[in-house]
Amino acid sequence: MSAYLKIDHLSKSFRRGATQAEVLRDVTLAVERGEYVSIIGHSGCGKSTLLNIVAGLLPPTTGGVLLENREVNEPGPDRAVVFQNHSLLPWLTTYDNVAIAVNKVFGAKKSRTERHDWIMHNLDLVQMAHAKDKRPAEISGGMKQRVGLARALAMEPKVLLLDEPFGALDALTRAHLQDSVMAIHAKLGNTVLMITHDVDEAVLLSDRIVMMTNGPSAQIGEVLDVPLARPRKRLSLAADPTYLKCRQRVLEFLYERHRFVEAA
Amino acid sequence: MNAALKKSDTAIALAVPAVSAKVLTLAPKRAPVRERITSHASAIAARVIPPLIVIALTLIVWEMLCNRPGATLPPPSRVLKETWELIVDPFFDRGGIDKGLFWHLSASLQRVAFGYALAASVGVALGTLVGQSIWAMRGLDPIFQVLRTVPPLAWLPLSLAAFRDGQPSAIFVIFITAIWPVIINTAVGIRNIPQDYRNVAAVLRLNHFEFFYKIMVPAAAPYIFTGLRIGIGLSWLAIVAAEMLIGGVGIGFFIWDAWNSSHISEIILALIYVGIIGFVLDRIVAAVATIITRGTAAN
């Protein structure tokens, strides 16, 4: 049996003139349905490149990505992305930002009222229904990220791709959003692939943590299972031995064995 | 979350800590009617009084300078007296070019409307092409950069030779004057569409048509309207000069005709009208821009 999402011997090089820079080398990863997998590594290690290839926004140099045994090589709503900088369209309201996705993906399958209900349902899921008529400039950074998440969820993706979704937020807002994402994951059982550089975030949210070595030619250094029962509670986990052990393992990987040598 | 709190920025919420968590919501007190009217009036006065003072001072200085014997230009009092007929009755029509100012201005505005509408539609289309396709840009941009520096009136003899008629020639001059800023700003706007929006469109699998009107046009709209606003200003600048040369009904020829008959006061009146209309045209395009872009900045 093959996995739900499979990244298969994937390599990526960028060519600029005569020089060629290999970013990723021979990355192989299998993600099961409903699994929450985080990819962690120092900046410049190619995590975002990896996510963009899975999203289909970048073509791999060799190897490929399989989703339900089918190769994917172009972007599509089955792999919805929540971008680091929210990427909401500033001239549309919160509601319309979600609607543009819903109308495109379900335009033929659902009636107008069904689509409206679906948009509101997704805004409700991220607790943003109250701001449906606000424009992105009128809401806070955390709220924008919630709307970005609602837009991605509304596409009913097979895999949800999160590209450092909480990276630009302050610690308190980030914690709120992490709890929301955990609740949504528990409710909907999405398959999630998340890029992060935050060790606590990775351990708290993930079933597995994929640790990348430093670039250039980054590879998967280690994959760590996080055997913590769900639902997870931020406060009680803070003293949990398993949590601390997992956290320790990731920290050791990042700061001892693959210490960040030079600024990328 | 604290969203509810944040939202109610007009209300003041006082939370008594711990035991009795009672929330008092106080509506802000509205100032009494009279106070509001006076504050409103003083705000308007602050805007209106300074320009009125400056205008009055200018008129006084002008009157003093031109009222002396040997002055070449008429003072404002004489301008008013000599053009009073034109001011009070802009609608007369005695045939030929002996018409009221309304007809001259409307003839000029019509030419501008045709030429500018043409420039706006062709300009946005060409700008989109140049902004989207690297090959179109490489091919066309050098030509645009050279042609846009040609002064509007330099095109007039050529267009007269081609069209053999004043009316289409004037419209062509407007078109060729207004089109460059529209093309260039549209192209810049399209080229500056953030990669994020393109990624969103890619993930949603928007087709070319949907991408055009759902992402490209709204994202580039602030730039496009900057071009359109520069374009309308240039059109109005060019029409007066072009009409002086092609003759017929039009504010440009009215000015030229007044000069030939030494009616200096009429020239001054026409200049005031031209200025006011140019200002109004600019404001109209700006207003359309704010409505269409819904006040969103270009970020």
Side-chain angles (χ1 to χ4, degrees):
Chain A
M1 262 307 280
S2 48
Y4 188 60
L5 172 75
K6 194 164 165 59
I7 300 168
D8 197 9
H9 297 286
L10 186 133
S11 300
K12 176 72 186 172
S13 313
F14 286 105
R15 184 193 297 271
R16 186 173 184 178
T19 55
Q20 196 165 354
E22 190 177 43
V23 178
L24 295 169
R25 178 184 288 171
D26 202 26
V27 174
T28 297
L29 177 69
V31 180
E32 296 303 329
R33 190 177 194 138
E35 204 178 8
Y36 198 121
V37 175
S38 292
I39 300 171
I40 194 166
H42 290 291
S43 71
C45 77
K47 338 184 263 293
S48 285
T49 308
L50 180 60
L51 191 96
N52 281 338
I53 294 172
V54 176
L57 295 167
L58 281 176
T61 309
T62 59
V65 178
L66 294 160
L67 180 58
E68 290 188 311
N69 290 322
R70 259 193 228 142
E71 183 174 11
V72 288
N73 43 22
E74 53 171 8
D78 55 347
R79 281 152 293 130
V81 190
V82 177
F83 298 95
Q84 180 175 11
N85 56 351
H86 68 77
S87 294
L88 298 179
L89 304 176
W91 55 88
L92 296 179
T93 60
T94 299
Y95 179 89
D96 288 333
N97 264 294
V98 181
I100 192 174
V102 171
N103 291 339
K104 180 64 189 171
V105 178
F106 300 110
K109 285 176 238 152
K110 294 187 185 209
S111 74
R112 184 179 288 266
T113 41
E114 277 174 331
R115 273 179 279 152
H116 170 79
D117 293 344
W118 180 239
I119 294 163
M120 288 315 293
H121 171 77
N122 280 286
L123 282 173
D124 258 334
L125 251 155
V126 297
Q127 298 144 35
M128 282 302 293
H130 63 89
K132 73 183 181 68
D133 294 321
K134 292 239 166 86
R135 288 186 206 291
E138 298 162 349
I139 57 180
S140 70
M143 290 174 164
K144 284 180 208 167
Q145 215 48 276
R146 283 173 187 274
V147 179
L149 184 61
R151 178 173 65 185
L153 290 170
M155 300 179 209
E156 280 197 324
K158 289 176 178 157
V159 182
L160 188 60
L161 302 173
L162 309 178
D163 187 2
E164 293 188 29
F166 319 123
L169 304 175
D170 64 276
L172 290 174
T173 315
R174 189 187 300 183
H176 268 302
L177 229 71
Q178 287 165 350
D179 292 343
S180 294
V181 167
M182 272 199 287
I184 289 165
H185 180 243
K187 198 167 165 186
L188 306 178
N190 321 71
T191 311
V192 185
L193 193 60
M194 177 177 80
I195 303 284
T196 183
H197 50 224
D198 182 331
V199 177
D200 287 296
E201 179 174 291
V203 178
L204 179 68
L205 295 176
S206 321
D207 296 315
R208 276 193 298 155
I209 301 173
V210 175
M211 292 170 253
M212 305 275 294
T213 64
N214 282 333
S217 305
Q219 292 173 294
I220 293 181
E222 196 179 325
V223 180
L224 176 72
D225 278 309
V226 184
L228 290 166
R230 289 179 189 273
R232 297 173 182 170
K233 287 267 179 286
R234 183 182 302 277
L235 281 177
S236 48
L237 279 180
D240 186 295
T242 322
Y243 177 86
L244 293 175
K245 216 170 79 194
C246 290
R247 196 169 174 276
Q248 189 63 27
R249 281 281 294 279
V250 180
L251 287 173
E252 272 169 14
F253 178 91
L254 289 177
Y255 298 108
E256 264 179 34
R257 281 181 284 152
H258 294 277
R259 194 207 295 253
F260 193 46
V261 252
E262 37 143 2
Chain B
M1 252 184 52
N2 54 356
L5 249 179
K6 230 182 260 170
K7 211 174 61 175
S8 60
D9 48 6
T10 47
I12 308 152
L14 296 171
V16 184
V19 199
S20 61
K22 208 165 97 190
V23 177
L24 296 175
T25 316
L26 303 173
K29 243 192 192 167
R30 290 198 75 163
V33 181
R34 210 159 124 210
E35 222 171 277
R36 268 186 292 146
I37 287 173
T38 30
S39 77
H40 217 72
S42 70
I44 291 171
R47 289 282 208 84
V48 171
I49 291 174
L52 283 181
I53 293 172
V54 172
I55 289 171
L57 284 176
T58 316
L59 288 174
I60 291 167
V61 172
W62 178 11
E63 183 76 41
M64 287 191 323
L65 285 177
C66 296
N67 225 351
R68 292 172 309 172
T72 48
L73 294 176
S77 56
R78 212 167 85 215
V79 170
L80 197 67
K81 204 172 71 198
E82 286 178 0
T83 59
W84 188 248
E85 217 178 306
L86 286 168
I87 296 171
V88 291
D89 184 13
F91 298 109
F92 71 86
D93 184 353
R94 301 197 195 101
I97 57 159
D98 192 8
K99 294 181 200 293
L101 274 171
F102 173 81
W103 302 110
H104 288 288
L105 286 167
S106 93
S108 299
L109 279 171
Q110 266 175 38
R111 294 192 182 108
V112 167
F114 275 122
Y116 179 69
L118 213 60
S121 33
V122 177
V124 170
L126 273 176
T128 308
L129 180 72
V130 172
Q132 263 303 81
S133 145
I134 190 87
W135 284 105
M137 189 191 80
R138 284 181 190 160
L140 292 169
D141 197 56
I143 301 172
F144 291 164
Q145 295 301 339
V146 171
L147 288 185
R148 80 189 176 91
T149 63
V150 175
L153 279 190
W155 290 99
L156 189 63
L158 195 67
S159 59
L160 277 170
F163 295 111
R164 312 214 162 253
D165 187 16
Q167 183 75 356
S169 303
I171 291 172
F172 176 77
V173 168
I174 298 305
F175 167 78
I176 207 79
T177 309
I179 195 169
W180 309 117
V182 180
I183 292 177
I184 289 163
N185 280 282
T186 305
V188 170
I190 303 274
R191 230 174 288 151
N192 281 358
I193 294 175
Q195 187 59 39
D196 306 334
Y197 302 171
R198 293 182 190 273
N199 286 347
V200 170
V203 169
L204 290 175
R205 288 212 185 117
L206 297 183
N207 59 38
H208 285 295
F209 182 60
E210 288 168 325
F211 180 69
F212 178 75
Y213 81 94
K214 284 190 175 158
I215 309 279
M216 205 192 267
V217 171
Y223 291 87
I224 294 174
F225 274 101
T226 306
L228 288 176
R229 227 176 131 181
I230 300 171
I232 193 75
L234 291 180
S235 307
W236 193 238
L237 288 183
I239 188 67
V240 174
E243 282 175 346
M244 284 187 179
L245 294 177
I246 62 163
V249 179
I251 193 68
F253 189 70
F254 175 87
I255 294 173
W256 192 244
D257 193 43
W259 159 244
N260 282 332
S261 354
S262 302
H263 292 151
I264 307 300
S265 299
E266 289 183 8
I267 297 178
I268 291 168
L269 177 71
L271 291 193
I272 292 168
Y273 277 147
V274 168
I276 290 171
I277 288 180
F279 174 76
V280 170
L281 287 178
D282 181 67
R283 281 305 142 114
I284 289 172
V285 177
V288 172
T290 16
I291 293 167
I292 293 195
T293 61
R294 299 161 192 169
T296 37
N299 55 4

